[in-house]
Amino acid sequence: QVQLVESGGGLVQPGGSLRLSCTANGFRLNYYVIGWFRQAPGKGREAVSCVRLVVGATYYTDSVKGRFTASSDNGENAVTLQMNNLVPEDTGVYYCAAAAPSISTVQDMCRDTSDFYSWGPGTQVTVSS
């Protein structure tokens, strides 16, 4: 059974950094489309980034461009999300999810999350002074 687990969340001051990691049991993450999503209190789920790193395909939502970077850690079969210059609006529960590659772009897959079939339990990120 495919299982994803997120880690690396925590409390950080505005301007700080966190590095989230998404690890998998059951398949090689690097070959799949990996999505990072977040849900703030009282709000719906929002796509943050979707990547398929084996082909270099990346998508970031506008609010995190230039601050967040997804990369692979093949040694650990993980996809990481480096988050820099964090702001309070980045607060929320962050989830990673996996989808099989398709003819859709990673941007389109991020917008239509129905392709993602394996979700982690989430990790809390709180940006506050």
Side-chain angles (χ1 to χ4, degrees), residues 42-122:
K43 296 187 177 181
R45 186 173 60 199
E46 173 191 23
V48 175
S49 172
C50 288
V51 299
R52 188 175 180 229
L53 296 173
V54 70
V55 297
T58 61
Y59 164 77
Y60 300 93
T61 193
D62 286 345
S63 64
V64 308
K65 282 181 182 177
R67 301 189 297 121
F68 290 13
T69 304
S71 61
S72 64
D73 183 346
N74 289 328
E76 296 294 328
N77 190 29
V79 173
T80 61
L81 185 68
Q82 178 66 42
M83 307 188 297
N84 298 327
N85 195 22
L86 286 160
V87 297
E89 291 75 21
D90 295 320
T91 294
V93 179
Y94 281 68
Y95 303 89
C96 68
S102 75
I103 60 173
S104 300
T105 65
V106 292
Q107 178 174 346
D108 287 342
M109 294 181 74
C110 237
R111 292 174 175 172
D112 178 9
T113 62
S114 61
D115 288 330
F116 290 90
Y117 54 82
S118 183
W119 292 78

